[in-house]
Amino acid sequence: MIQVAPPTAAEVGSYAGAVVAIVSSLTLTQWGIAVGIITALATFFLNWFYMRRRDAREELALRMQLGAKQ
């Protein structure tokens, strides 16, 4: 079995520094674009999820309505 050593403080600091450098290099406009894209994607997937649920409910109601008429 391969044992993986936990990250050292130097490694954690290096990764944290890289993240801070990337985040601080973004301008306000770039942050706005990123937030807009994330919001658009979240809206798309939430609408897709709830429309599928709505379609399933409407289909069930129609099947029940047609079954009651026969």
Side-chain angles (χ1 to χ4, degrees):
M1 179 189 264
I2 299 174
Q3 293 184 350
V4 178
T8 63
E11 290 173 333
V12 172
S14 175
Y15 289 125
V19 169
V20 168
I22 291 170
V23 170
S24 64
S25 70
L26 296 177
T27 65
L28 189 57
T29 302
Q30 291 169 331
W31 274 109
I33 291 169
V35 169
I37 291 170
I38 291 168
T39 303
L41 289 173
T43 302
F44 172 79
F45 285 113
L46 282 172
N47 281 335
W48 174 75
F49 174 74
Y50 283 109
M51 284 296 151
R52 284 190 47 156
R53 287 180 57 183
R54 178 179 166 193
D55 289 345
R57 282 194 313 267
E58 290 176 354
E59 183 180 349
L60 178 62
L62 181 62
R63 287 177 190 252
M64 291 174 64
Q65 186 180 19
L66 291 176
K69 288 184 179 180
Q70 293 177 354

PDB file of all heavy atoms in Angstrom, residues 58-70:
ATOM      1  N   GLU A  58     -47.313  16.949 -14.740  1.00  0.00           N
ATOM      2  CA  GLU A  58     -48.369  17.129 -15.740  1.00  0.00           C
ATOM      3  C   GLU A  58     -48.672  15.836 -16.472  1.00  0.00           C
ATOM      4  O   GLU A  58     -49.829  15.543 -16.779  1.00  0.00           O
ATOM      5  CB  GLU A  58     -47.982  18.232 -16.713  1.00  0.00           C
ATOM      6  CG  GLU A  58     -48.006  19.616 -16.095  1.00  0.00           C
ATOM      7  CD  GLU A  58     -47.528  20.702 -17.035  1.00  0.00           C
ATOM      8  OE1 GLU A  58     -47.053  20.387 -18.149  1.00  0.00           O
ATOM      9  OE2 GLU A  58     -47.632  21.884 -16.650  1.00  0.00           O
ATOM     10  N   GLU A  59     -47.656  15.047 -16.752  1.00  0.00           N
ATOM     11  CA  GLU A  59     -47.873  13.765 -17.414  1.00  0.00           C
ATOM     12  C   GLU A  59     -48.661  12.817 -16.515  1.00  0.00           C
ATOM     13  O   GLU A  59     -49.581  12.133 -16.975  1.00  0.00           O
ATOM     14  CB  GLU A  59     -46.537  13.140 -17.797  1.00  0.00           C
ATOM     15  CG  GLU A  59     -46.688  11.834 -18.547  1.00  0.00           C
ATOM     16  CD  GLU A  59     -45.364  11.212 -18.938  1.00  0.00           C
ATOM     17  OE1 GLU A  59     -44.320  11.888 -18.812  1.00  0.00           O
ATOM     18  OE2 GLU A  59     -45.376  10.050 -19.363  1.00  0.00           O
ATOM     19  N   LEU A  60     -48.324  12.792 -15.225  1.00  0.00           N
ATOM     20  CA  LEU A  60     -49.049  11.952 -14.278  1.00  0.00           C
ATOM     21  C   LEU A  60     -50.501  12.397 -14.173  1.00  0.00           C
ATOM     22  O   LEU A  60     -51.417  11.553 -14.168  1.00  0.00           O
ATOM     23  CB  LEU A  60     -48.372  11.996 -12.910  1.00  0.00           C
ATOM     24  CG  LEU A  60     -49.058  11.200 -11.797  1.00  0.00           C
ATOM     25  CD1 LEU A  60     -49.091   9.717 -12.161  1.00  0.00           C
ATOM     26  CD2 LEU A  60     -48.360  11.433 -10.483  1.00  0.00           C
ATOM     27  N   ALA A  61     -50.739  13.694 -14.107  1.00  0.00           N
ATOM     28  CA  ALA A  61     -52.108  14.204 -14.028  1.00  0.00           C
ATOM     29  C   ALA A  61     -52.896  13.836 -15.282  1.00  0.00           C
ATOM     30  O   ALA A  61     -54.073  13.454 -15.196  1.00  0.00           O
ATOM     31  CB  ALA A  61     -52.090  15.718 -13.833  1.00  0.00           C
ATOM     32  N   LEU A  62     -52.281  13.927 -16.439  1.00  0.00           N
ATOM     33  CA  LEU A  62     -52.951  13.571 -17.680  1.00  0.00           C
ATOM     34  C   LEU A  62     -53.274  12.078 -17.715  1.00  0.00           C
ATOM     35  O   LEU A  62     -54.379  11.687 -18.108  1.00  0.00           O
ATOM     36  CB  LEU A  62     -52.085  13.951 -18.890  1.00  0.00           C
ATOM     37  CG  LEU A  62     -52.676  13.643 -20.258  1.00  0.00           C
ATOM     38  CD1 LEU A  62     -53.964  14.421 -20.476  1.00  0.00           C
ATOM     39  CD2 LEU A  62     -51.667  13.939 -21.342  1.00  0.00           C
ATOM     40  N   ARG A  63     -52.327  11.260 -17.299  1.00  0.00           N
ATOM     41  CA  ARG A  63     -52.589   9.808 -17.274  1.00  0.00           C
ATOM     42  C   ARG A  63     -53.733   9.471 -16.320  1.00  0.00           C
ATOM     43  O   ARG A  63     -54.567   8.621 -16.622  1.00  0.00           O
ATOM     44  CB  ARG A  63     -51.330   9.052 -16.885  1.00  0.00           C
ATOM     45  CG  ARG A  63     -50.280   9.015 -17.960  1.00  0.00           C
ATOM     46  CD  ARG A  63     -49.030   8.304 -17.471  1.00  0.00           C
ATOM     47  NE  ARG A  63     -47.947   8.474 -18.397  1.00  0.00           N
ATOM     48  CZ  ARG A  63     -47.484   7.498 -19.173  1.00  0.00           C
ATOM     49  NH1 ARG A  63     -48.008   6.308 -19.118  1.00  0.00           N
ATOM     50  NH2 ARG A  63     -46.491   7.727 -19.993  1.00  0.00           N
ATOM     51  N   MET A  64     -53.755  10.145 -15.175  1.00  0.00           N
ATOM     52  CA  MET A  64     -54.834   9.900 -14.213  1.00  0.00           C
ATOM     53  C   MET A  64     -56.176  10.374 -14.798  1.00  0.00           C
ATOM     54  O   MET A  64     -57.187   9.702 -14.640  1.00  0.00           O
ATOM     55  CB  MET A  64     -54.541  10.601 -12.898  1.00  0.00           C
ATOM     56  CG  MET A  64     -53.379   9.984 -12.136  1.00  0.00           C
ATOM     57  SD  MET A  64     -52.918  10.919 -10.675  1.00  0.00           S
ATOM     58  CE  MET A  64     -54.391  10.764  -9.696  1.00  0.00           C
ATOM     59  N   GLN A  65     -56.153  11.511 -15.488  1.00  0.00           N
ATOM     60  CA  GLN A  65     -57.383  12.055 -16.079  1.00  0.00           C
ATOM     61  C   GLN A  65     -57.884  11.133 -17.192  1.00  0.00           C
ATOM     62  O   GLN A  65     -59.073  10.850 -17.285  1.00  0.00           O
ATOM     63  CB  GLN A  65     -57.114  13.445 -16.620  1.00  0.00           C
ATOM     64  CG  GLN A  65     -58.330  14.163 -17.131  1.00  0.00           C
ATOM     65  CD  GLN A  65     -57.971  15.559 -17.648  1.00  0.00           C
ATOM     66  OE1 GLN A  65     -56.814  15.837 -17.929  1.00  0.00           O
ATOM     67  NE2 GLN A  65     -58.970  16.408 -17.771  1.00  0.00           N
ATOM     68  N   LEU A  66     -56.981  10.642 -18.033  1.00  0.00           N
ATOM     69  CA  LEU A  66     -57.389   9.741 -19.109  1.00  0.00           C
ATOM     70  C   LEU A  66     -57.834   8.399 -18.572  1.00  0.00           C
ATOM     71  O   LEU A  66     -58.752   7.788 -19.115  1.00  0.00           O
ATOM     72  CB  LEU A  66     -56.226   9.563 -20.092  1.00  0.00           C
ATOM     73  CG  LEU A  66     -55.863  10.793 -20.942  1.00  0.00           C
ATOM     74  CD1 LEU A  66     -54.637  10.495 -21.789  1.00  0.00           C
ATOM     75  CD2 LEU A  66     -57.046  11.206 -21.797  1.00  0.00           C
ATOM     76  N   GLY A  67     -57.196   7.940 -17.492  1.00  0.00           N
ATOM     77  CA  GLY A  67     -57.596   6.663 -16.888  1.00  0.00           C
ATOM     78  C   GLY A  67     -58.953   6.739 -16.258  1.00  0.00           C
ATOM     79  O   GLY A  67     -59.724   5.774 -16.246  1.00  0.00           O
ATOM     80  N   ALA A  68     -59.328   7.890 -15.728  1.00  0.00           N
ATOM     81  CA  ALA A  68     -60.631   8.059 -15.089  1.00  0.00           C
ATOM     82  C   ALA A  68     -61.755   8.122 -16.106  1.00  0.00           C
ATOM     83  O   ALA A  68     -62.875   7.751 -15.832  1.00  0.00           O
ATOM     84  CB  ALA A  68     -60.641   9.331 -14.225  1.00  0.00           C
ATOM     85  N   LYS A  69     -61.458   8.571 -17.331  1.00  0.00           N
ATOM     86  CA  LYS A  69     -62.478   8.695 -18.365  1.00  0.00           C
ATOM     87  C   LYS A  69     -62.805   7.359 -19.020  1.00  0.00           C
ATOM     88  O   LYS A  69     -63.839   7.201 -19.615  1.00  0.00           O
ATOM     89  CB  LYS A  69     -62.022   9.694 -19.443  1.00  0.00           C
ATOM     90  CG  LYS A  69     -62.041  11.120 -18.959  1.00  0.00           C
ATOM     91  CD  LYS A  69     -61.678  12.062 -20.071  1.00  0.00           C
ATOM     92  CE  LYS A  69     -61.711  13.502 -19.597  1.00  0.00           C
ATOM     93  NZ  LYS A  69     -61.367  14.425 -20.672  1.00  0.00           N
ATOM     94  N   GLN A  70     -61.907   6.411 -18.933  1.00  0.00           N
ATOM     95  CA  GLN A  70     -62.139   5.128 -19.618  1.00  0.00           C
ATOM     96  C   GLN A  70     -62.979   4.198 -18.814  1.00  0.00           C
ATOM     97  O   GLN A  70     -63.221   4.169 -17.724  1.00  0.00           O
ATOM     98  CB  GLN A  70     -60.786   4.470 -19.926  1.00  0.00           C
ATOM     99  CG  GLN A  70     -60.013   5.243 -20.942  1.00  0.00           C
ATOM    100  CD  GLN A  70     -58.632   4.636 -21.202  1.00  0.00           C
ATOM    101  OE1 GLN A  70     -58.226   3.701 -20.536  1.00  0.00           O
ATOM    102  NE2 GLN A  70     -57.929   5.195 -22.162  1.00  0.00           N
TER     103      GLN A  70
END
